[in-house]
Amino acid sequence: FNSFYQAYQQKLKLALIGQSIFGQEVYNKLRKEGHKVVGVFTVPDKNGQADPLALAAEKDGTPVFKFPRWRAKGKPIQEVVAAYKSVGAELNVLPFCTQFIPMDVIDCPKHGSIIYHPSILPRHRGASAINWTLIQGDKKAGFTIFWADDGLDTGPILLQRECDVGQNDTVDDLYNRFLFPEGIKAMVEAVHLIADGKAPRIPQSEEGATYEGIQKKENAEISWNQPASALHNWIRGHDKVPGAWATIDGQMVTFYGSTLLNASVPAGQELAIKGASKPGLITKNGLVVFGNDGKMVLVRNLQFEDGKMIPASKYFSADEATSLELTEEEKKMAEDIRAIWKGILTNVAVIEDSTDFFKSGASSMHVVRMLEEIKQKYSGLQLQNEDVYMATKFADFIQMAVRKFRGEDNEEELVVDYVSKNVNNMTVNMPYQCFINGQFINSDDGKTYDTINPADGSVIASVSSASLADVDKAVAAAKEAFENGEWGRMNARERGRLMYRLADLMEEHQEELATIESIDSGAVYTLALKTHVGMSVQTFRYFAGWCDKIQASEYGATIPISQARPNHNLTFTKKEPIGVCAIVIPWNYPLMMLAWKSAACLAAGNTLVLKPAQVTPLTSLKFAELSAKAGFPKGVINILPGSGGLVGQHLSEHPDVRKVGFTGSTPTGKQIMKSCFHMIIYIFYSAATNLKKVSLELGGKSPLIIFSDCELDRAVKMGMGAVYFNKGENCIAAGRLFVEESIHDEFVRKVVEEIKKMKIGDPLDRSTDHGPQNHKAHLEKLLQYCETGVKEGATLVYGGRQVCRPGFFMEPTVFTDVEDHMYIAQEESFGPVMVISKFKNGDVDGVLQRANTTEYGLASGVFTKDISKALYISEKLEAGTVFINTYNKTDVAAPFGGFKQSGFGKDLGEEALHEYLRTKAITVEY
C-alpha cells in the first residue's frame, strides 16, 4: 500500500467537507501522503464538543469552518460559498457528510468533488445504505467512491470495493471490519488517482438501482408475519440506530443484538409481544422470537422507552437488583470514574447520580475513551461497550461497575481483548492472553512475547507468556471442573452436543481460523482452510459422535468368572475418564494437532490444559474463545501460551495432571517421559512421585520406496507431496526416498521439472504452492542441514538456499547420491528437502533392510503395481502407518501413531479414546 502511494508525485490542494472519526482519519492520511488540506468544512460543535475532524484540523492549524447549513430556502448562502472559495481548493473530498452542499461548491474546484458512499452503487442510494444492505439480506456489502453530480448518489463511479456479509453481521460489524478501514484507504487511493490523472469516470447504470429513505424510529416497528431470517435482518439492520422495536406490556421496547438460532426450542418463560402470533421466550441466553416459518431468532438486549437497556435474559428480574453499599475502595473508584465522566462531558457542570452519559452529549467514540481510561486505572475491571449502553446514568453505571469489580456477575459474557488485523479481505480478531478457567487474562507476572509472521518477519501480536503460577491456576481450574463442576456431572450425550456445537462454530469461523493459521505458521491459505481447519472440524465431529457410545462398545464388558458356589458373581468393566490432561502440541499444524488430541480427550470426559507451540499460539487462543461461546463450562479447556521448557515441563511434572499427550521432537518427548516418571526410583525414600499416563507422537524419518513397476508420473506427484506438503513441515513427510536404479534418473528429472513450476510466495495468495518456513530459527537449521549434506558428498541437484525476499522462505531442495551413513540419510529435516538414494534393480529385501535401519517408525510408503510385493513390503516396514501407491492420506477414523523412537499411543480413530480412559473392574456377589 505504502509503495503504491510513493509512485504518485502529484499533490493536490484539498477541501475536506464532512465530519466524524472517518473524516478525521481520511484527513490525517491525506496530509501524511503530502497533500495540502487548505480547508475543513464541518458541523458546528454539539453540546460544547467539537467534531473529531474539526479537532484534528484545529490541532494542525488547518482553517476550519463550522457552518450549520450551506443553503437557505433552497438557495446557496453566498457568505458561506464565498468563505469556501477563499481557500482555493483543487478537489473537494467528502468522506462522510450529512449536509446538503450546493452545486456552486461541488463544481467549483478544478477536479470537482468525490464522495464516499457505503453501498455498491447503484444499489441502496440514500442515507441509510448500510442498514438497507442488511435489511434486504444482501450477501455482499461494500462502498463506492463517486464523482458528485446534481443527483442523489448518481454520479460516475471512480472505484468500488466489496466484502461478504456474515449471517449475523450488524451495521457495526460491517463498518468496523470493512467499510471504515478499507474506506479510508480507498479515499486516499482515489485522491492519488485523480492527482495522477488516472481516475476513471464510469457512468452508473440505472439497472438494479434502488433508493431507500432514511430509517426513522416510527417506521422501524417489527412486522411479525415474516420468516425468521427476515426478522433477523430487520433487527440487525436497525442496530444501533434507529432500533427495531415492538410493543410489550404497553410500551415500546427496542431489540438489539440478534442472531439466527439453529437449535431445538430452549426452555424459557413466555413473553407476549403485540402482533406476534406466538409468544417470545425469555431464556438464560436472551429473548427467543419466532418467524412465521417456525424458525427462531435470539435477541440479546432490550431497551425501554426511558432509555434503560437490559440483557433480554433478565427481563423478568430487571428491577430486582438492590442498591449496593460501597466499601471505601469502591467509593474511591466511583469518584475516579466520576472524574473520567467529567473529563469527557465538559459541558456538564457537575456529574450527578442522575447524569445520563448520552443525553449529556456523549457518543460512541466517547464510550471507547471512557472504558480505556477506566481500564488504565483499574485493570481488573473488565468493561465492554455494551455495559455503558445498559447503564447510561452515572449511579446505574457505578452499581454495574462495582458488581463486575466484585465478580458478582457470574453470567457475564466472555470478555476478549483482541489484536485485530485487516488481512485476506477480512478483519481477523485474535485473542492474545492466557485462557484460564473460562477467562482471558494476562500472565501472572505480566510477561509477553512477540509472535512473528513468517511471510515477512513482522510482529503479529504480543502474546501473554504463561508463568509457573499460571500453570498451577490452570491445573487447579481443570481439576475443579472435573471433580466438582458441571462438566463432571454432565451426561455423555450433552457432552457430545457441546462438541458438535464447537465444531459448528469452528466451521462458521473457518476462513478467519485459516487466515490466522496462515499468518502465524506460514501455511498456504488454501491448505490451511482444507486441512489445518477442515480436518480439525471433522475431528471434533467424529469424537462428538463417540461420547455416548463408549460404554456401549467393547470399552465396557461383562466377564464370566469362576463362581464360588453357592454364591453367584458378576464382573463387569467400566471405562472412566482419567482427570486433568496436559496436552503439548507442535507448530507445524497448530489447530489440527490441538484437535487431534483435545477432541478425544474431551469426548472421554476429561478436562485439559493445553500448551500450544510458543511460535504459533494464535489459533489455539481463538479456539479457546469459540469453546467458551459453544458453552463449555469454565475450567474444562485452558490454554497457556509460552515457553515449552517452562510451561510444558511444569505440566509434565505437576502431580494433579494424570495424563500427558505430546506431539513434537523425539528429544523433547524423552524429556517429558523422564519428567512423568520422575523420582520413581526413589519411591522407597520419599512419598513424592510423579507417575502418569503418557502418549507421544515424535519425530520421523519416513522411508518411501519407489519401484520401477510403479506409475511413474503418479509416483513423482505423490512423492513430491510426501516431501513438500505443508513446506515439508509434516511429521510423516517422506524423509528418505529409495528409487529403483532403472528409473532413478528419470524420476529425478521429472521432480526437478515439477519444482520449477511451483510458485513460492505469499501464503494468502490463492495461487501460491509453497509458503515460508515456520520461523527463522527453523529456516537457519534447514540451511545448515543442506550445507552438511553437501559437505558429506551428497549431490545437491536443486535448491538448498533461502529465497531472496522478505520472510523465511526456502527453495524446495533435492539431494541425490545419498549414502546410508550420511547425516541427511539418518536425521529428519522437517523441511522441503527431498533425500534420494538408489537401490539395485529387484533388490526388495535389501531396500527393506535399508528402509528399516532408522530409529524412527512413524510412517512409510511404497509405490508398485505388484500388489503382492506391496503387501509384503507393508508387513516388513517398521512403521505405524504404511501408504501404498499414495501418501499423506490420513483420516479422522484411522489410528495414527509411531513405533520405536517415533513414540507410542494413538491419535485419531477409536483407538485414540484408549489414551484418555482408564478401566475399572467391578465384581458383584448376589
Side-chain angles (χ1 to χ4, degrees):
F1 187 66
N2 289 332
S3 62
F4 173 79
Y5 285 162
Q6 290 168 5
Y8 294 93
Q9 302 299 320
Q10 299 297 320
K11 307 299 178 185
L12 297 177
K13 292 191 289 184
L14 308 173
L16 253 74
I17 305 175
Q19 63 211 72
S20 79
I21 294 176
F22 185 81
Q24 179 191 57
E25 288 297 311
V26 171
Y27 165 84
N28 288 333
K29 288 286 193 298
L30 288 170
R31 290 188 77 250
K32 184 178 179 181
E33 294 301 321
H35 297 285
K36 183 175 179 58
V37 180
V38 293
V40 165
F41 299 84
T42 187
V43 294
D45 296 354
K46 183 179 180 181
N47 296 320
Q49 296 191 16
D51 182 81
L53 174 57
L55 289 173
E58 288 168 347
K59 182 179 178 181
D60 295 331
T62 301
V64 176
F65 303 84
K66 302 178 181 180
F67 300 130
R69 63 186 63 84
W70 292 71
R71 301 186 304 177
K73 297 182 179 179
K75 295 183 179 180
I77 301 172
Q78 292 307 313
E79 295 84 354
V80 173
V81 175
Y84 161 77
K85 290 182 177 179
S86 70
V87 303
E90 297 172 319
L91 173 69
N92 292 332
V93 178
L94 286 74
F96 176 72
C97 183
T98 59
Q99 297 176 312
F100 286 99
I101 310 301
M103 290 305 297
D104 304 48
V105 174
I106 292 295
D107 293 337
C108 181
K110 171 184 175 182
H111 296 292
S113 302
I114 59 171
I115 301 177
Y116 170 91
H117 184 78
S119 80
I120 307 170
L121 291 175
R123 189 163 173 79
H124 303 311
R125 294 169 177 166
S128 296
I130 313 176
N131 305 75
W132 284 104
T133 298
L134 294 175
I135 291 169
Q136 297 196 355
D138 292 1
K139 300 301 182 184
K140 295 284 185 181
F143 59 80
T144 304
I145 298 172
F146 66 96
W147 299 93
D149 64 4
D150 58 358
L152 183 59
D153 304 330
T154 56
I157 294 169
L158 195 159
L159 62 79
Q160 289 183 319
R161 300 284 186 271
E162 66 177 37
C163 68
D164 293 332
V165 178
Q167 178 177 272
N168 293 315
D169 277 345
T170 64
V171 172
D172 284 350
D173 292 333
L174 291 176
Y175 187 72
N176 294 329
R177 184 177 74 238
F178 185 80
L179 300 176
F180 180 85
E182 296 303 318
I184 293 165
K185 293 178 187 177
M187 286 298 285
V188 179
E189 181 183 346
V191 172
H192 281 306
L193 288 169
I194 294 168
D196 203 48
K198 297 181 178 179
R201 291 175 179 263
I202 304 169
Q204 285 194 43
S205 170
E206 288 304 306
E207 183 179 348
T210 64
Y211 171 80
E212 297 91 7
I214 297 174
Q215 280 303 92
K216 296 181 179 179
K217 195 72 176 182
E218 56 265 27
N219 56 18
E221 183 176 6
I222 300 168
S223 173
W224 291 103
N225 189 25
Q226 301 181 81
S229 59
L231 296 177
H232 169 58
N233 289 336
W234 185 263
I235 296 169
R236 66 174 177 152
H238 290 82
D239 190 338
K240 297 274 193 266
V241 177
W245 60 274
T247 301
I248 302 175
D249 290 334
Q251 69 166 313
M252 179 190 292
V253 178
T254 305
F255 291 27
Y256 295 111
S258 75
T259 55
L260 287 171
L261 187 59
N262 297 313
S264 56
V265 178
Q269 187 173 350
E270 288 191 353
L271 178 68
I273 303 173
K274 183 179 179 181
S277 60
K278 186 175 182 179
L281 291 175
I282 297 295
T283 73
K284 65 178 183 178
N285 294 318
L287 169 61
V288 174
V289 294
F290 298 86
N292 61 10
D293 55 357
K295 296 182 179 180
M296 296 175 287
V297 176
L298 177 67
V299 178
R300 192 168 66 248
N301 300 315
L302 301 173
Q303 187 176 42
F304 300 107
E305 289 179 352
D306 63 1
K308 182 180 180 181
M309 185 181 288
I310 64 165
S313 60
K314 297 182 178 179
Y315 181 86
F316 290 114
S317 57
D319 298 322
E320 293 177 5
T322 56
S323 182
L324 300 174
E325 288 292 330
L326 274 55
T327 65
E328 290 304 314
E329 180 186 13
E330 291 163 351
K331 288 178 181 177
K332 181 181 182 305
M333 181 177 73
E335 290 309 309
D336 288 340
I337 294 174
R338 192 187 300 271
I340 291 171
W341 277 46
K342 183 67 181 75
I344 295 171
L345 305 176
T346 54
N347 56 308
V348 178
V350 179
I351 304 297
E352 306 282 357
D353 284 354
S354 59
T355 300
D356 188 288
F357 192 67
F358 296 107
K359 290 180 180 178
S360 298
S363 63
S364 58
M365 68 176 180
H366 298 114
V367 172
V368 176
R369 174 184 163 185
M370 187 245 286
L371 296 185
E372 287 300 315
E373 291 188 25
I374 292 174
K375 188 185 297 182
Q376 287 175 358
K377 281 186 171 291
Y378 297 94
S379 58
L381 180 56
Q382 298 292 326
L383 300 175
Q384 300 182 75
N385 293 5
E386 219 163 63
D387 295 325
V388 185
Y389 291 102
M390 291 191 186
T392 61
K393 293 181 180 178
F394 182 76
D396 294 337
F397 184 84
I398 292 300
Q399 291 283 308
M400 176 274 299
V402 169
R403 290 184 192 279
K404 286 184 175 289
F405 190 67
R406 293 178 181 180
E408 292 180 3
D409 191 354
N410 294 325
E411 295 182 359
E412 63 184 346
E413 291 187 15
L414 180 69
V415 176
V416 190
D417 279 341
Y418 294 117
V419 171
S420 297
K421 288 192 177 294
N422 297 310
V423 61
N424 201 23
N425 297 318
M426 68 181 76
T427 299
V428 293
N429 296 313
M430 297 171 284
Y432 60 88
Q433 299 166 295
C434 301
F435 186 73
I436 300 174
N437 202 27
Q439 293 182 315
F440 284 103
I441 59 173
N442 293 327
S443 59
D444 188 73
D445 57 12
K447 289 184 179 179
T448 63
Y449 68 95
D450 291 340
T451 185
I452 305 298
N453 184 341
D456 58 13
S458 63
V459 174
I460 304 170
S462 289
V463 179
S464 293
S465 184
S467 66
L468 295 180
D470 295 313
V471 175
D472 292 337
K473 289 178 191 174
V475 172
K479 184 180 180 183
E480 176 66 17
F482 180 78
E483 295 179 352
N484 302 312
E486 179 186 354
W487 181 255
R489 300 187 299 270
M490 188 178 293
N491 68 58
R493 192 158 295 170
E494 178 65 10
R495 193 162 69 238
R497 189 193 67 78
L498 284 180
M499 292 183 66
Y500 277 124
R501 173 62 179 147
L502 177 55
D504 290 345
L505 283 173
M506 291 169 70
E507 189 169 58
E508 287 177 26
H509 290 262
Q510 61 181 333
E511 293 179 348
E512 185 179 23
L513 286 166
T515 300
I516 297 171
E517 191 95 334
S518 186
I519 65 174
D520 203 24
S521 75
V524 172
Y525 175 76
T526 50
L527 176 66
L529 190 63
K530 179 184 177 182
T531 301
H532 291 232
V533 180
M535 194 173 188
S536 299
V537 173
Q538 293 171 21
T539 303
F540 268 91
R541 286 185 174 144
Y542 173 82
F543 283 106
W546 265 108
C547 287
D548 62 352
K549 300 172 184 67
I550 290 173
Q551 300 299 344
S553 71
E554 71 272 22
Y555 289 105
T558 56
I559 303 170
I561 63 171
S562 299
Q563 303 287 346
R565 296 182 180 180
N567 299 319
H568 295 277
N569 297 278
L570 170 67
T571 295
F572 62 94
T573 61
K574 182 182 179 185
K575 288 291 183 178
E576 296 179 342
I578 296 170
V580 178
C581 298
I583 294 174
V584 182
I585 58 172
W587 42 258
N588 57 327
Y589 295 104
L591 186 64
M592 194 170 79
M593 292 298 99
L594 175 153
W596 280 22
K597 284 182 160 45
S598 298
C601 174
L602 294 168
N606 301 288
T607 58
L608 65 88
V609 180
L610 182 139
K611 196 207 86 64
Q614 186 168 2
V615 292
T616 53
L618 296 179
T619 42
S620 294
L621 294 171
K622 189 68 180 180
F623 167 85
E625 178 194 352
L626 297 179
S627 73
K629 291 181 176 179
F632 276 75
K634 292 181 179 180
V636 174
I637 295 172
N638 304 271
I639 309 290
L640 298 179
S643 163
L646 183 74
V647 177
Q649 183 76 16
H650 194 42
L651 281 170
S652 63
E653 294 174 347
H654 201 292
D656 289 332
V657 171
R658 300 303 182 194
K659 159 72 196 273
V660 174
F662 172 77
T663 296
S665 70
T666 296
T668 304
K670 289 179 177 178
Q671 180 58 42
I672 285 177
M673 277 290 293
K674 182 179 177 181
S675 299
C676 290
F677 291 86
H678 180 61
M679 296 181 71
I680 293 174
I681 60 173
Y682 301 113
I683 193 166
F684 294 109
Y685 304 99
S686 170
T689 63
N690 185 30
L691 180 61
K692 53 176 58 88
K693 193 171 185 178
V694 182
S695 58
L696 303 173
E697 194 258 279
L698 306 177
K701 187 67 176 174
S702 302
L704 176 57
I705 305 171
I706 301 175
F707 287 96
S708 59
D709 63 346
C710 69
E711 291 182 20
L712 185 58
D713 288 341
R714 178 176 176 80
V716 168
K717 178 182 177 182
M718 290 295 201
M720 291 183 67
V723 176
Y724 302 126
F725 188 81
N726 200 46
K727 315 108 65 184
E729 295 166 353
N730 187 15
C731 51
I732 59 171
R736 192 174 181 194
L737 276 67
F738 295 94
V739 182
E740 197 161 9
E741 193 171 26
S742 61
I743 61 168
H744 174 274
D745 292 349
E746 185 179 6
F747 179 89
V748 173
R749 179 182 60 80
K750 285 178 175 287
V751 165
V752 172
E753 286 177 359
E754 291 303 313
I755 288 176
K756 290 178 180 178
K757 299 175 186 177
M758 292 171 66
K759 179 178 177 181
I760 302 173
D762 180 1
L764 294 175
D765 184 337
R766 305 311 193 262
S767 63
T768 294
D769 299 304
H770 189 79
Q773 304 310 134
N774 185 276
H775 52 282
K776 185 178 181 181
H778 183 54
L779 172 63
E780 292 170 350
K781 177 184 172 185
L782 288 171
L783 295 173
Q784 182 62 48
Y785 184 92
C786 292
E787 288 179 16
T788 301
V790 172
K791 287 177 182 177
E792 289 190 333
T795 301
L796 179 61
V797 176
Y798 193 89
R801 296 169 299 185
Q802 182 174 359
V803 179
C804 187
R805 59 172 291 157
F808 312 138
F809 292 81
M810 182 178 177
E811 295 174 332
T813 299
V814 179
F815 278 102
T816 60
D817 303 316
V818 179
E819 298 178 13
D820 294 354
H821 69 275
M822 292 180 178
Y823 178 84
I824 64 173
Q826 298 175 2
E827 297 299 327
E828 180 182 32
S829 71
F830 212 64
V833 182
M834 183 177 284
V835 176
I836 304 176
S837 299
K838 290 180 187 177
F839 68 92
K840 293 181 180 179
N841 293 332
D843 188 10
V844 175
D845 289 323
V847 75
L848 263 173
Q849 182 179 1
R850 294 172 70 190
N852 284 329
T853 306
T854 173
E855 283 302 303
Y856 299 105
L858 189 57
S860 58
V862 57
F863 278 80
T864 176
K865 293 178 182 176
D866 186 340
I867 190 64
S868 297
K869 181 165 57 179
L871 292 174
Y872 174 79
I873 295 280
S874 70
E875 289 177 5
K876 297 296 183 181
L877 283 170
E878 298 170 0
T881 297
V882 181
F883 298 107
I884 298 176
N885 293 328
T886 187
Y887 210 89
N888 286 326
K889 290 288 173 94
T890 54
D891 188 88
V892 294
F896 181 93
F899 298 165
K900 300 188 285 188
Q901 297 294 309
S902 290
F904 50 81
K906 296 295 183 182
D907 290 326
L908 302 181
E910 185 177 336
E911 284 196 43
L913 291 166
H914 287 291
E915 306 299 331
Y916 297 96
L917 292 165
R918 62 189 182 189
T919 304
K920 178 179 288 183
I922 302 170
T923 299
V924 181
E925 183 177 291
Y926 61 97

